[in-house]
Amino acid sequence: MTKDKIFDECVEYFSQPGFKRALELIHRKYRSLGRFSGKIILENPSEEEKEALSRYLRRVLRGEKVVIDVKDFAVTKFQDTKFSRLDFKSILSAVLRKEVITKKEEKELENEKVLNFFESLSAHFDKDENAAVVLNAFKENFKSFESFYKKYSQKEFLEIMKKVIEAILKKPQSPETLAIFATRVTGNPHFFDDEQDAGKIFLRLLSIINGREFPQNAEEKSELLFDNNILIDELSNWCLLYNIGGYIEDGKEDEGLKYFSNQKKPIILPLYTIKDYKGFFAYSNKLVVVENPAVFSAIVQRVPAISAVCTNGHLRLSSKIIIGSIAKTNISLLYSGDFDPEGLLIADRVIQNFGARPLCMDEVHYFLALSENKIDERRLEMLKNVKSAQLQSVCQKMKELQLAGYQERIVDRIVEKLKICV
């Protein structure tokens, strides 16, 4: 009988269903120890397993737990068969249809594959002197991308990374929408979309390059991309303004915003428009930032000399850009919002990031603004993230009462305070 035929016969013999579980356990033991030794335990063996193993091991197997010596199975007993000239390891590999290697060997092979991958990626950018920084950042933080590496074939992942790194090297010099940017770099407007792995990889690497944490929400993502001249939600991300001016090219005052200010009319600016301004300023000596449009409306009608920004319940990127720009002019900045965990978190961010002072956000005004709306425990937990000392007493009282308070209930108080200070 030729060697090929006897090999096939041996594989066929050990492919019997009665050997399957035992061979899987032997394979696991080999991977761990690096040799055929130790013992395996077969729990609740079937009659088919007992028969096949008893015949091979030449002893009767009984009971609900069968202990098998691996060396006896793979070496001693195997040598007593007509297949003794064959390599048991090769037979095991053929039967299980997988490579039989130790964990150590597997790790060494995987490390070699990763090194080959990096060499191929580096070779693609060897003529671009700016690529070294991006490539090094990717290599040093490879663990952050390992799940994607394992998900794809090496060839597929290499193509993704080529485009991701090329995109970072070709970041726009002036604001550009994500879809246009993706089309310019990859030919596909959806290549860096949220649901695409390439989009997640691009964001992760961009975060690392910028020395920032990976975005945890849509607003953080918008901010990261905007800081790299890439726009998303450029029309839906807007801010409501009153008595606010802006600078355009060469430090010139924008006549459009000036017109609305002179007419005492509020205006909505989307991120698409905001990106074209060089900076913003308040026409008043004070800027008040409020959370709710109804309160904003009351303020601008009854205190027309004030400058105001409304976040409409969310501190979006559009609001951050405008408030941040005005805050740099050293103007007196005030903030008033709802008395609920979300409102206090927004207040905290405006206080912490822009140096605002809370307006009518103390315990007295909390009691005046109280409603019957209960705040559940999950939302109350959010209060632990409020850092501003000015808000701590309100946070404590809110935890005790577990009730929300709303700006609309104290709008007269807010207006009177602003009339005094403008």
Side-chain angles (χ1 to χ4, degrees):
M1 188 180 288
T2 64
K3 189 173 181 180
D4 285 346
K5 284 185 178 180
I6 197 167
F7 183 89
D8 292 342
E9 185 182 340
C10 185
V11 170
E12 185 179 356
Y13 174 76
F14 282 107
S15 294
Q16 294 178 71
F19 286 115
K20 183 173 176 56
R21 277 208 300 160
L23 292 178
E24 288 284 2
L25 291 171
I26 288 171
H27 174 247
R28 196 179 303 169
K29 184 66 72 173
Y30 178 84
R31 274 176 52 75
S32 177
L33 299 178
R35 60 187 183 277
F36 290 114
S37 62
K39 297 183 187 302
I40 62 167
I41 299 174
L42 198 65
E43 303 276 358
N44 301 314
S46 66
E47 289 302 319
E48 188 176 32
E49 288 174 323
K50 288 178 183 177
E51 184 181 344
L53 293 168
S54 294
R55 190 181 304 117
Y56 176 72
L57 295 170
R58 297 193 292 280
R59 62 187 174 91
V60 178
L61 303 178
R62 296 188 180 90
E64 300 304 312
K65 187 181 288 186
V66 172
V67 179
I68 298 173
D69 184 289
V70 174
K71 184 177 181 181
D72 181 56
F73 189 105
V75 180
T76 308
K77 291 297 188 293
F78 189 72
Q79 291 300 315
D80 287 342
T81 67
K82 63 179 179 179
F83 310 125
S84 59
R85 290 181 295 134
L86 302 176
D87 175 39
F88 180 79
K89 183 177 169 183
S90 300
I91 297 299
L92 185 62
S93 178
V95 172
L96 299 181
R97 297 182 180 179
K98 62 177 84 171
E99 195 172 10
V100 179
I101 57 174
T102 65
K103 290 179 181 179
K104 182 181 178 183
E105 290 170 334
E106 185 177 60
K107 189 174 181 179
E108 288 172 352
L109 284 172
E110 189 55 45
N111 288 340
E112 189 177 338
K113 285 180 182 177
V114 171
L115 286 174
N116 290 337
F117 170 80
F118 281 132
E119 285 176 4
S120 298
L121 188 60
S122 298
H124 181 75
F125 292 100
D126 63 348
K127 293 180 181 178
D128 191 334
E129 58 185 26
N130 297 316
V133 173
V134 183
L135 286 166
N136 285 336
F138 175 56
K139 289 177 187 177
E140 289 170 6
N141 296 273
F142 184 66
K143 281 198 174 296
S144 299
F145 304 92
E146 208 163 11
S147 60
F148 298 110
Y149 173 79
K150 291 176 179 178
K151 182 176 179 179
Y152 295 93
S153 70
Q154 196 168 89
K155 183 179 179 182
E156 289 171 328
F157 191 61
L158 182 64
E159 291 307 310
I160 291 172
M161 287 311 305
K162 283 178 183 177
K163 290 177 180 176
V164 167
I165 291 174
E166 187 175 349
I168 289 177
L169 293 172
K170 292 182 177 179
K171 287 186 300 182
Q173 297 304 304
S174 58
E176 186 174 51
T177 65
L178 180 62
I180 298 297
F181 170 66
T183 303
R184 176 168 62 81
V185 177
T186 73
N188 179 357
H190 303 293
F191 194 79
F192 296 123
D193 283 359
D194 279 345
E195 65 273 14
Q196 302 295 329
D197 283 340
K200 298 182 181 88
I201 294 167
F202 175 68
L203 271 185
R204 192 168 294 281
L205 189 53
L206 193 63
S207 301
I208 292 167
I209 295 293
N210 283 262
R212 290 157 74 158
E213 294 294 323
F214 184 76
Q216 297 301 307
N217 52 52
E219 197 56 46
E220 288 181 5
K221 175 187 173 182
S222 294
E223 195 167 340
L224 171 65
L225 292 174
F226 184 84
D227 289 345
N228 288 274
N229 282 325
I230 302 169
L231 302 177
I232 56 173
D233 304 326
E234 65 274 12
L235 293 175
S236 59
N237 195 323
W238 52 266
C239 187
L240 181 57
L241 312 177
Y242 174 80
N243 205 19
I244 301 293
Y247 295 111
I248 50 177
E249 292 292 342
D250 303 321
K252 292 180 182 177
E253 186 178 343
D254 178 54
E255 292 298 323
L257 289 182
K258 185 177 181 181
Y259 172 82
F260 276 92
S261 176
N262 289 336
Q263 294 296 313
K264 302 301 180 186
K265 300 291 185 184
I267 182 173
I268 292 175
L269 284 189
L271 194 58
Y272 180 86
T273 304
I274 292 169
K275 67 179 172 54
D276 294 327
Y277 285 90
K278 303 304 178 185
F280 295 89
F281 62 90
Y283 284 109
S284 170
N285 63 348
K286 282 184 174 59
L287 172 69
V288 61
V289 181
V290 296
E291 183 177 348
N292 301 315
V295 175
F296 175 87
S297 179
I299 288 172
V300 301
Q301 290 179 61
R302 295 163 62 181
V303 195
I306 197 75
S307 291
V309 169
C310 179
T311 66
N312 195 26
H314 301 280
L315 193 58
R316 296 188 180 94
L317 177 60
S318 51
S319 301
K320 289 180 186 177
I321 294 169
I322 292 172
I323 297 169
S325 180
I326 296 173
K328 291 176 182 176
T329 64
N330 296 318
I331 192 173
S332 179
L333 203 160
L334 304 168
Y335 181 83
S336 183
D338 283 335
F339 292 97
D340 57 20
E342 294 81 2
L344 290 183
L345 279 171
I346 294 174
D348 183 60
R349 289 165 70 189
V350 177
I351 292 167
Q352 293 289 318
N353 295 338
F354 308 115
R357 289 185 291 115
L359 173 67
C360 298
M361 294 201 73
D362 53 22
E363 279 190 59
V364 172
H365 289 91
Y366 174 46
F367 284 118
L368 292 172
L370 271 180
S371 72
E372 295 180 358
N373 290 345
K374 293 283 290 183
I375 304 172
D376 61 37
E377 290 295 336
R378 181 189 61 81
R379 291 175 66 208
L380 287 171
E381 273 293 304
M382 297 163 62
L383 294 174
K384 67 183 181 183
N385 296 316
V386 175
K387 299 182 178 65
S388 301
Q390 305 98 307
L391 302 175
Q392 293 306 311
S393 62
V394 174
C395 287
Q396 187 57 44
K397 191 57 65 176
M398 189 176 294
K399 290 175 186 176
E400 294 172 14
L401 300 180
Q402 299 184 1
L403 293 172
Y406 299 106
Q407 272 191 301
E408 290 85 349
R409 288 173 172 262
I410 56 169
V411 66
D412 290 339
R413 290 270 187 144
I414 296 170
V415 167
E416 290 309 311
K417 290 269 187 181
L418 290 173
K419 281 181 178 179
I420 294 170
C421 65
V422 172

